[in-house]
Amino acid sequence: MGEKAFSYWYWQGVRHLLSIPACILMMSFVGFGGLSAEAGLTPSQTMVLAFTTWALPSAVVVVGAVLNDVPFYATVFAVVLASVRLMPMTMALIPFLKSSQTKTWHLVFASNFIAITAWVFAMRLVPELPREGRFAFFIGFAFTLAIINTCVAGLANYFSASLPPVASAALVFLTPIYFLLSMTAAARIKTEYWAIGAGLVLGPAFHLITPETDLLWCGLLGGSFAYLINLFGKRT
Amino acid sequence: MMDILRAPFSEWYPFLFILLAGALPTQIWRWLGAVFAKSLDEESEFLNWVKAIATALVAGLIAKLVVFPSGSLIDVPLWARLSALLLGYGVFFLTRPKIIYGILVGEVVLVSAAFFYL
C-alpha cells in the first residue's frame, strides 16, 4: 500500500463519519458516559472501558456489574456471552478487507474496531471499493469513530453531573432504545426476533429470581427457546 | 468482585477489572473471528444457537435498563418508561429499516413524562 493511496482511502473513510448512524452512535456514547457517571466511574475509567471493549453491550454489562456489585466471574461470563456475536460479524467482514498487501496483524488490528455501526456500514460500502483501498477506508471510518466516541464518553461522564435531570434521563434512555431498534433492524432470521422477545421478558424476570447471574440465564434459556422454536417451526 | 486485589491495588483495581472482565472477554471473539475467518461456516447450526443466546442476552440487558433503571430514570414511572420504549418500537416497525424516527418518538414520550415527574 503506497503512502499516498493509504491516506487517500483513509480520509475517504473519515468523511463518512458525517452520517446518521455515526451521529446516533455518538449520542449513545453521551448516554453511556452519563450511565457510567451514575455508576461512579471516572472519566478516565469510562474512556478506557469504551475504547478497550469498543462494544457498548460489553461496556454496559461492566457498568451494570459495578452498579450491582456483580462477582468477577459472572461479569466475565456475561461479557463473553454478550460479545459472541462479534465473532461471526468479524468472520463475515474480514475477507472483504484482505488484499495482497494486508498482513495478518493488519486484520487483527482492524477486527478490534468491528462493532454494530461500523460493521453495518462496512458490509454495505466496502465490497464496492477497489481491494487495495478497503483496509485503509475501514480504518479511516472505524478507528476514527472509536477515538471520537471514546472522547465523547469521557466528556459526557465528566459533565453529566451538571446536566439537568430531564436531559440526563433522556440520554440514559437513549442506550436501551438505540440498541433495541438497531438490533431488531439488523435481525435477519426468525430466531433473532424470538430471541429479542424472549430476552425482553426474561431479563427483568431473572433479575427478580437470581440478580447476580440473571443475564446468563436469560441468554441461555431465552436463546435456546428461540433456537428450538425456529427448529420446531421448520420441521412441522 | 476480586477482594484480594481490591486492597493492595485499590487505585488500579477498576482498570484491571475493566481490562480483565470487559476488554479481554470482548476482544477474544474478534481475534477468534479474524483467525477463523476462513475455516468456520457462518451459517452453521452451532453459530445460529450461539447468536440466539447472545441476542436474548442483549435484549434482556435492554429490558433491565428500562425496568430497573439507575439515576434520574428512576423518578420517571415504570409505565412511562415502558410506553416510551413500546411506542418507539411501534414507530420503528412502521418506518423500518430506519431507526431514527422510532428513537425520536421514544425520546419525546420519555422527555414529556420526565418534565412532568422530575
Side-chain angles (χ1 to χ4, degrees):
Chain A
M1 229 176 284
E3 203 63 27
K4 226 175 190 176
F6 185 91
S7 62
Y8 171 77
W9 289 110
Y10 182 89
W11 287 106
Q12 286 295 309
V14 171
R15 231 165 41 98
H16 281 87
L17 288 171
L18 291 169
S19 58
I20 290 174
C23 291
I24 291 176
L25 186 67
M26 240 170 265
M27 287 190 282
S28 301
F29 270 91
V30 173
F32 171 70
L35 186 76
S36 79
E38 274 161 8
L41 270 75
T42 65
S44 56
Q45 289 163 3
T46 304
M47 289 173 76
V48 170
L49 178 59
F51 191 76
T52 60
T53 56
W54 188 236
L56 266 181
S58 300
V60 171
V61 168
V62 171
V63 169
V66 173
L67 270 172
N68 303 318
D69 219 12
V70 176
F72 177 75
Y73 75 92
T75 311
V76 172
F77 228 52
V79 172
V80 161
L81 278 176
S83 327
V84 170
R85 53 174 46 248
L86 292 172
M87 189 165 94
M89 283 163 67
T90 305
M91 291 194 309
L93 180 60
I94 287 292
F96 288 108
L97 300 180
K98 273 185 204 158
S99 76
S100 53
Q101 278 122 336
T102 43
K103 299 186 174 77
T104 306
W105 73 265
H106 285 159
L107 298 175
V108 172
F109 176 73
S111 79
N112 287 335
F113 303 103
I114 293 175
I116 297 173
T117 303
W119 187 79
V120 172
F121 167 84
M123 290 300 279
R124 191 162 53 88
L125 290 186
V126 158
E128 293 164 12
L129 302 174
R131 239 171 218 288
E132 69 272 15
R134 290 177 181 179
F135 174 72
F137 180 85
F138 178 77
I139 295 296
F141 181 79
F143 178 67
T144 318
L145 191 68
I147 295 285
I148 290 175
N149 281 303
T150 298
C151 299
V152 165
L155 285 171
N157 174 285
Y158 185 77
F159 287 109
S160 72
S162 55
L163 275 181
V166 173
S168 92
L171 286 175
V172 172
F173 188 70
L174 201 51
T175 303
I177 194 160
Y178 168 72
F179 268 128
L180 182 60
L181 268 51
S182 62
M183 198 164 71
T184 312
R188 291 204 198 94
I189 51 174
K190 255 188 207 157
T191 313
E192 289 173 275
Y193 292 103
W194 280 108
I196 291 168
L200 286 175
V201 175
L202 292 181
F206 276 112
H207 184 73
L208 296 174
I209 304 165
T210 160
E212 282 194 350
T213 50
D214 49 1
L215 286 180
L216 246 122
W217 294 115
C218 167
L220 275 173
L221 295 180
S224 303
F225 162 77
Y227 176 78
L228 288 175
I229 211 164
N230 195 47
L231 209 66
F232 186 73
K234 266 189 224 162
R235 289 197 179 143
T236 48
Chain B
M1 290 195 248
M2 294 190 297
D3 289 321
I4 309 159
L5 288 173
R6 202 175 228 168
F9 298 109
S10 56
E11 208 176 304
W12 293 104
Y13 175 77
F15 291 101
L16 207 62
F17 189 84
I18 285 167
L19 292 179
L20 292 181
L24 195 61
T26 305
Q27 298 294 8
I28 203 126
W29 292 115
R30 292 184 174 121
W31 298 333
L32 283 174
V35 169
F36 289 123
K38 274 182 180 172
S39 56
L40 244 168
D41 181 12
E42 208 206 312
E43 301 300 317
S44 80
E45 284 299 304
F46 175 71
L47 265 177
N48 278 341
W49 178 59
V50 170
K51 264 197 278 182
I53 290 175
T55 305
L57 189 141
V58 176
L61 179 67
I62 290 166
K64 265 180 65 186
L65 286 173
V66 174
V67 178
F68 306 104
S70 56
S72 2
L73 263 188
I74 293 175
D75 299 320
V76 179
L78 178 66
W79 65 262
R81 285 179 254 136
L82 287 179
S83 316
L85 193 73
L86 290 176
L87 282 170
Y89 211 25
V91 168
F92 160 73
F93 276 105
L94 297 175
T95 58
R96 66 191 303 187
K98 287 192 187 301
I99 60 174
I100 184 75
Y101 303 111
I103 291 175
L104 284 177
V105 168
E107 283 289 352
V108 166
V109 173
L110 187 98
V111 166
S112 318
F115 264 117
F116 194 78
Y117 286 97
L118 293 181

